[in-house]
Amino acid sequence: MESFIRGSCESMCPKAEIEMRTREKMLHFYELKPGSRTEPVERLVVKEFARSAAGVRRPKHWEIRTVAALKRTVEYLLTEIVQDDRRSYNFRYEFIFDRLRAVRQEVVMQNLSAKDTLDILEPIVCFLSYSAYQLCESHISEFDPQICNTHLQECLKKVLRSYDELEQESPSYNQNRRIRMEALYLAFNLGSSEALTRGINLPKHIRKRLSLQLSMNIEYLRHNYHRVLISLQKLPPLEAALAALKIPTIRQQLLLRFSSAFQSKVLSVPLEWIGHVLMYQRREHPSLIEDCQYYNLQLVHVDKPPPDQSTVANSPPTETPKDSWWDDSDDEGKDRKLSTAISSVLTGRSVKFEKARFDSSKPVVQPRRVEFVDRKLSAVTSIPALLMDGKC
């Protein structure tokens, strides 16, 4: 039977590692005294990640941090470092990501209980979710979304497995925290049948509080992408940030379907209408033109059509009937009142759709930060509180 080590180090970094990294000049900016390049602030030095490898000795108990030390480390990184604006956010992200990876490694090495695992991993999930959105426009040399997404998925699945285990041991756990994690999992895996199946099989009292997230996933799998875009704007800040990373894929799928539905040798579709349906908000209007060109769609300049000419833009909007599981609160009126001011960038431009022209072989465009998510995050009173406790 495999035995697990129990850590006894009460600091954020073992003494031996501090001495070694000081000697080898391997200290990070956030671990040095102000103005110094070599002298550490020992209480601020955080254990860095070291990959396990064959031939490397098993760490001693004094080299592994206790549960309390691990929690203090996570709290320090997500309250002090995350808002230290002496450096750019991607610089802070790299430091925090590495140190949190070492924390996760020690969680596995000690085989911590479900409760302790959740206390440590939940803030890490929130940090990775927040960072995935904040850095989505960064160059690959500054931020690798694939690595971030892989680690986020691993953490989310570990958290959900811990909740499944905790429910069998003690049904009196904090269900609000679980619902928050289940919602983030559904947002991050929007359109995944595996995530939807898990959500549908949750206990009824939990599933009921995830009705919006579940309905979004159902609509996504139904290819009702416009409904998904509308629902996405009703999510809390962190969930909206994660789900917004799927917006480029949703827009690509809508444009692909428009290429068949609106194919015509004579008529064209006004770019303003396309921007409205695809939820390109005002500051994104130039991006709409770029996306059309990227997918090889034909842009044309048109004069204002005569009053008796029937076009897509003049067609009355069709109502989508609500299903029994849909949230019946009447928020759609607010959604239709989203800003529809016509940007001069789009004025007089239309798209002439041809199915053969759409280049579906191209990868989906890189995610961009969107206005409504930025507004939600800017309204958050404290980012550290959002990451540590999920409080907005």
Side-chain angles (χ1 to χ4, degrees), residues 154-193:
E154 290 175 359
C155 289
L156 275 168
K157 289 188 174 182
K158 177 64 175 176
V159 164
L160 299 188
R161 286 196 301 269
S162 297
Y163 271 118
D164 292 340
E165 180 183 335
L166 193 63
E167 186 171 15
Q168 295 178 357
E169 296 176 356
S170 173
S172 60
Y173 62 89
N174 187 331
Q175 293 190 355
N176 290 331
R177 287 173 52 182
R178 178 178 186 177
I179 289 168
R180 186 163 63 245
M181 290 295 110
E182 296 281 2
L184 286 174
Y185 181 67
L186 286 167
F188 182 62
N189 293 281
L190 182 61
S192 164
S193 57

Side-chain angles (χ1 to χ4, degrees), residues 252 255-256 259 295-297 354-361:
Q252 181 211 39
L255 288 173
L256 175 60
S259 296
Y295 291 119
N296 199 36
L297 295 175
E354 296 178 34
K355 186 176 181 180
R357 284 185 63 97
F358 187 89
D359 192 351
S360 58
S361 65

Side-chain angles (χ1 to χ4, degrees), residues 8 41 54 64 130 305 349:
S8 61
V41 181
I64 304 296
Y130 177 76
R349 289 193 168 193

Side-chain angles (χ1 to χ4, degrees), residues 129-253:
S129 302
Y130 177 76
S131 299
Y133 175 77
Q134 286 290 337
L135 299 173
C136 67
E137 296 180 349
S138 301
H139 190 268
I140 188 67
S141 62
E142 297 179 345
F143 172 71
D144 189 332
Q146 186 61 45
I147 292 177
C148 181
N149 291 344
T150 299
H151 285 262
L152 175 54
Q153 188 78 289
E154 290 175 359
C155 289
L156 275 168
K157 289 188 174 182
K158 177 64 175 176
V159 164
L160 299 188
R161 286 196 301 269
S162 297
Y163 271 118
D164 292 340
E165 180 183 335
L166 193 63
E167 186 171 15
Q168 295 178 357
E169 296 176 356
S170 173
S172 60
Y173 62 89
N174 187 331
Q175 293 190 355
N176 290 331
R177 287 173 52 182
R178 178 178 186 177
I179 289 168
R180 186 163 63 245
M181 290 295 110
E182 296 281 2
L184 286 174
Y185 181 67
L186 286 167
F188 182 62
N189 293 281
L190 182 61
S192 164
S193 57
E194 178 185 348
L196 179 59
T197 300
R198 175 186 169 82
I200 291 174
N201 289 321
L202 288 171
K204 184 177 180 180
H205 63 280
I206 295 177
R207 188 172 67 246
K208 187 176 180 180
R209 295 177 61 181
L210 294 170
S211 59
L212 174 60
Q213 291 83 355
L214 291 172
S215 63
M216 277 181 57
N217 275 268
I218 292 173
E219 293 293 4
Y220 193 103
L221 292 173
R222 285 179 168 180
H223 301 160
N224 190 353
Y225 297 116
H226 182 61
R227 171 78 77 175
V228 175
L229 289 173
I230 291 175
S231 301
L232 196 150
Q233 299 178 67
K234 304 174 186 177
L235 296 174
L238 213 51
E239 293 173 45
L242 266 187
L245 300 176
K246 287 281 188 179
I247 288 180
T249 301
I250 293 173
R251 288 170 172 169
Q252 181 211 39
Q253 291 299 313

